[in-house]
Amino acid sequence: MGSGVLERAVELLVRQVGHWEQPRWAAVAAGGNVSRADLVHRLVQEIANLAADAEGGQRRAVPRLDNDLALPDQLRVVAADLVAAAPPPEVLARAATEVTATRDTL
């Protein structure tokens, strides 16, 4: 499984949420107890962790910006970082699965 699967999963999620306004981000995610914004930020952090591991670098906390409308861009950036790190296919597959699961929960 190549980077195309991850890139496609990210694009689908961004298309789903890219037009959301703040109240929609603040709503609780389906079947959960956290906001949609918190759920996507958690995904961004997970993808950033995978990228750091693939690069052999230190994991760092992804800042939670004041404006939740920036979350799709943060997701794109960390996904691009992961692809650029050229991890094994199973890491890309795991990332794509995480993105798809988050999208299904939103």
Side-chain angles (χ1 to χ4, degrees):
M1 180 177 298
S3 61
V5 174
L6 174 59
E7 291 164 346
R8 174 80 175 138
V10 168
E11 188 55 36
L12 288 172
L13 192 148
V14 167
R15 271 196 236 157
Q16 178 178 334
V17 303
H19 62 281
W20 286 4
E21 298 295 329
Q22 190 59 42
R24 199 151 180 198
W25 280 108
V28 173
N33 58 359
V34 298
S35 72
R36 291 170 168 160
D38 289 341
L39 189 67
V40 173
H41 185 264
R42 189 178 305 152
L43 172 66
V44 168
Q45 184 64 61
E46 178 62 25
I47 302 295
N49 289 346
L50 291 173
D53 293 349
E55 294 168 347
Q58 184 176 355
R59 290 183 174 191
R60 295 188 184 112
V62 175
R64 180 63 193 270
L65 303 176
D66 291 336
N67 188 345
D68 292 332
L69 278 62
L71 285 165
D73 289 333
Q74 281 187 304
L75 178 60
R76 279 187 174 125
V77 168
V78 296
D81 288 347
L82 177 57
V83 169
E90 58 270 12
V91 174
L92 293 171
R94 176 178 167 199
T97 299
E98 293 291 329
V99 172
T100 300
T102 299
R103 184 171 168 251
D104 292 345
T105 304
L106 293 173

